[in-house]
Amino acid sequence: MDLTHVEDDLELDQTLFTEEQIVSRLKEMAADIERDYEGKDILLVGVLKGAVMVMADLARSLDRHVEMDWMAVSSYGSGTKSSGVVRILKDLDTDLQGRHVLIVEDIIDTGLTLSWLITNLRSRGPASVEIATLLRKPEAQQMEVEVKYVGFDIPNAFVVGYGLDYNEQYRNLRCIGTLSPHVYS
Ligand code: IMP
């Protein structure tokens, strides 16, 4: 689905990222990752469901073998506010002992989910754990964990598309944009 199908639902402002912009930024991030992980095996850990599109395009931009695994955690309810509660809905299939883990995220908002996830994954004995996220909101910068790869820093707005949802909708939108308040108010 492209912008023409949901134009009235989105704010056409600076948070609008086209599919081309997203994919080209992910290619740059992939080049950084290849350089940093030379000679090391990478396990990409995607956080469901939002990171599906980021994982698909980032993984395919890497010109080398990688393994992929998935975790599902709940951090948001059906609205636009963080619940602050994180629960594992689906755990990894892979043993992390000695592995170089790169968490692939769609967006970091409060950073609550990631802080929790990192502590959880680090307790499983990996060689390293780093984070790659397509989007990052301002609050996340107060997080104690360093986010190694960031696609775009965006203002504090609720965005949808390219895997990101509002009430399970808009995930299949090719671009990313801020949801107009009239959609949820
Ligand atoms: P955090 O714990 O506040 O950093 O939120 C992490 C998760 O909340 C993300 O992985 C998303 O699934 C969801 N989320 C945060 N901000 C947005 C947004 O603007 N649009 C859609 N989902 C969001």
Side-chain angles (χ1 to χ4, degrees), residues 29-38 42 61-64:
M29 291 166 73
D32 291 344
I33 293 168
E34 276 176 16
R35 191 197 54 227
D36 296 348
Y37 286 86
E38 210 180 324
I42 310 175
S61 297
L62 290 164
D63 291 325
R64 49 169 293 174

Side-chain angles (χ1 to χ4, degrees), residues 23-157:
V23 171
S24 122
R25 183 69 189 111
L26 287 175
K27 283 194 178 134
E28 291 172 357
M29 291 166 73
D32 291 344
I33 293 168
E34 276 176 16
R35 191 197 54 227
D36 296 348
Y37 286 86
E38 210 180 324
K40 295 175 183 163
D41 288 332
I42 310 175
L43 174 67
L44 297 176
V45 169
V47 185
L48 292 169
K49 305 169 194 169
V52 167
M53 312 298 177
V54 183
M55 178 73 121
D57 285 333
L58 181 67
R60 286 181 299 172
S61 297
L62 290 164
D63 291 325
R64 49 169 293 174
H65 289 291
V66 283
E67 277 179 54
M68 286 180 242
D69 203 347
W70 298 92
M71 244 179 124
V73 297
S74 76
S75 57
Y76 267 60
S78 55
T80 60
K81 289 272 179 311
S82 176
S83 69
V85 180
V86 181
R87 268 189 315 134
I88 296 185
L89 304 176
K90 185 228 168 278
D91 207 343
L92 298 172
D93 299 325
T94 318
D95 178 2
L96 297 192
Q97 196 70 42
R99 302 299 308 265
H100 290 284
V101 176
L102 181 58
I103 301 173
V104 177
E105 263 284 22
D106 47 358
I107 190 163
I108 311 177
D109 183 358
T110 62
L112 273 174
T113 315
L114 263 190
S115 309
W116 179 90
L117 195 61
I118 288 208
T119 310
N120 182 289
L121 298 189
R122 286 215 170 117
S123 72
R124 306 184 194 194
S128 67
V129 181
E130 299 290 354
I131 305 158
T133 185
L134 178 62
L135 302 173
R136 179 172 65 177
K137 293 193 199 176
E139 259 192 86
Q141 294 177 28
Q142 293 158 22
M143 261 177 73
E144 276 172 34
V145 232
E146 189 205 336
V147 184
K148 194 152 186 193
Y149 309 98
V150 180
F152 304 104
D153 277 308
I154 61 165
N156 204 2

Side-chain angles (χ1 to χ4, degrees), residues 9-11 13-17 76 79-80 106-109 134-137 152-167 169-171 173 175-180 184:
D9 295 357
L10 298 186
E11 305 278 330
D13 60 10
Q14 79 281 12
T15 57
L16 192 73
F17 296 102
Y76 267 60
T80 60
D106 47 358
I107 190 163
I108 311 177
D109 183 358
L134 178 62
L135 302 173
R136 179 172 65 177
K137 293 193 199 176
F152 304 104
D153 277 308
I154 61 165
N156 204 2
F158 195 81
V159 290
V160 292
Y162 198 75
L164 291 157
D165 77 308
Y166 172 66
N167 272 349
Q169 289 193 317
Y170 303 97
R171 288 197 199 275
L173 180 62
C175 61
I176 291 173
T178 298
L179 201 57
S180 298
Y184 53 84

